[in-house]
Amino acid sequence: MAQAVRHARIPLCISDPNQPDNPIVFTNTAFLDLTGYTEDEVVGRNCRFLQGEDTTEESLNALRSAIHNQSVETIEIVNYRKDGSRFTNALQIGPILDDSGNLVFYFGSQLDVTEKRDLERRARELADVELVHRLRNIVNVMEVVIKMTACEEADPKVVGSVAAERLRALSDAHLQTINHPDDYSASMTEVAQSTLLAYAPKGQKQFSLGGSDIILPSHLLSCMALVLHELATNSVKHGSLGAETGRVDLNWQILADKNVDVLGLVWRELDGPEVTKPERSSGSKIVSDLIEAVGGTLTLDWANSGLVARASFPLTLF
């Protein structure tokens, strides 16, 4: 048993609660590698020497409760190595009893989850940035929709009705991109139609769609919807969909690339204002990142006559 614990890859230590201050009486090489201490620096000390400035009282209370109740618990606690570097430790602690049920030792196993928690934190931060970005875009698009609807219709009641309908479509289109079940499926035509209907202030007459009615694979569904949302938002704010005479042509087809089927897409803006390449690239960067995440490519041609975006999406996720 001792040999098995000593050579285990997961960091382990054993303490003796029958001695003063419950000192560590055994540890393995994995524990020493994790913490940077030698065996002589560990054995005989209470495990609190791993605690530091960012160790929370909440985690310490949970640890004390597990010891008092002699229960097996997993507690996330901030610990520190010998060199002063901190790590987030998923500590599992529990009692070791003899045949009579008497407490003999406590065991503690350590798992460094710092990288996992950092990734989760960065993912939350990116999600927050994306949410703020989309909310700002929605407000900008709503403003253009209301203004253009007011120019198009003379009757205030009609303006209110048409604007409300278009804003509802905009809301529904956004919610569908983030709130669909895992088994949900939709065609390219459905995604393109619902997105552009939501954004085009003058409705169907501001865009045309061309391509086979392909069912989008699940890994492309949210990505495609978000990419089209971003292109449409940019068009309303700066391009053809924000102009009285402007329109968008969206075409797609299945292409073969190195024996892999690829969905090729061309977004072309026409009859809008003269276009110049924007100095800020937050929107196009989001689009590029989304497409790259599924193995696709994107090129943006900021032609004077209107933006032309060409994208490709592999239909199989490797």
Side-chain angles (χ1 to χ4, degrees):
M1 179 74 72
Q3 288 294 326
V5 171
R6 183 177 297 277
H7 296 295
R9 293 186 177 183
I10 188 169
L12 292 166
C13 64
I14 294 174
S15 67
D16 184 353
N18 299 301
Q19 294 188 39
D21 204 26
N22 191 16
I24 295 173
V25 294
F26 178 85
T27 187
N28 67 355
T29 302
F31 178 90
L32 302 177
D33 290 341
L34 171 64
T35 63
Y37 289 94
T38 65
E39 187 172 8
D40 289 341
E41 293 172 318
V42 171
V43 173
R45 301 175 68 183
N46 184 283
C47 63
R48 73 173 65 89
F49 73 91
L50 295 174
Q51 299 167 17
E53 180 181 358
D54 292 332
T55 306
T56 66
E57 193 63 29
E58 180 183 4
S59 62
L60 293 178
N61 287 336
L63 183 58
R64 296 181 189 114
S65 176
I67 293 173
H68 176 75
N69 296 325
Q70 296 186 19
S71 59
V72 177
E73 303 288 350
T74 300
I75 300 159
E76 203 160 289
I77 185 171
V78 173
N79 282 156
Y80 288 81
R81 300 179 179 86
K82 183 178 179 179
D83 63 8
S85 60
R86 53 168 282 173
F87 65 98
T88 303
N89 182 11
L91 168 66
Q92 186 175 62
I93 186 172
I96 299 174
L97 309 178
D98 64 14
D99 292 341
S100 300
N102 300 311
L103 178 65
V104 180
F105 299 110
Y106 275 104
F107 75 87
S109 68
Q110 292 74 31
L111 180 63
D112 184 355
V113 294
T114 308
E115 184 176 358
K116 181 180 180 182
R117 294 296 176 259
D118 286 345
L119 288 172
E120 291 172 351
R121 176 182 54 78
R122 287 196 290 271
R124 288 194 299 270
E125 290 174 351
L126 287 172
D128 289 344
V129 170
E130 168 65 9
L131 179 59
V132 171
H133 175 77
R134 292 183 67 184
L135 288 173
R136 286 175 177 166
N137 281 344
I138 290 173
V139 172
N140 290 332
V141 171
M142 288 169 61
E143 182 181 359
V144 174
V145 167
I146 292 171
K147 285 181 178 179
M148 291 187 67
T149 303
C151 292
E152 187 180 11
E153 303 289 348
D155 188 337
K157 290 184 178 180
V158 175
V159 171
S161 176
V162 173
E165 182 180 347
R166 289 173 181 168
L167 294 178
R168 191 178 303 112
L170 178 64
S171 170
D172 291 345
H174 270 276
L175 289 174
Q176 286 171 7
T177 66
I178 59 176
N179 189 31
H180 56 71
D182 294 338
D183 59 353
Y184 176 76
S185 62
S187 69
M188 181 64 201
T189 302
E190 290 172 329
V191 173
Q193 180 85 5
S194 63
T195 302
L196 282 166
L197 273 177
Y199 279 89
K202 294 191 173 185
Q204 180 75 56
K205 61 184 178 182
Q206 274 195 286
F207 65 90
S208 63
L209 306 176
S212 58
D213 201 22
I214 177 176
I215 299 297
L216 290 171
S218 58
H219 73 278
L220 283 186
L221 188 57
S222 292
C223 175
M224 180 64 73
L226 289 169
V227 167
L228 292 180
H229 278 297
E230 198 63 42
L231 289 171
T233 296
N234 179 77
S235 184
V236 172
K237 292 163 62 178
H238 309 294
S240 296
L241 291 182
E244 290 286 339
T245 58
R247 58 192 178 87
V248 168
D249 285 344
L250 178 60
N251 296 280
W252 61 89
Q253 60 179 321
I254 305 298
L255 307 170
D257 182 15
K258 297 179 182 179
N259 299 321
V260 176
D261 285 340
V262 171
L263 176 60
L265 179 147
V266 179
W267 168 287
R268 190 183 304 273
E269 299 189 23
L270 303 164
D271 301 330
E274 185 174 329
V275 173
T276 57
K277 185 176 180 179
E279 294 182 4
R280 297 179 61 186
S281 60
S282 58
S284 59
K285 179 67 166 59
I286 289 173
V287 173
S288 299
D289 289 348
L290 288 169
I291 295 176
E292 184 179 342
V294 296
T297 63
L298 172 70
T299 59
L300 298 175
D301 179 8
W302 299 95
N304 289 340
S305 57
L307 171 66
V308 179
R310 293 180 173 87
S312 65
F313 302 83
L315 294 175
T316 303
L317 183 62
F318 294 100

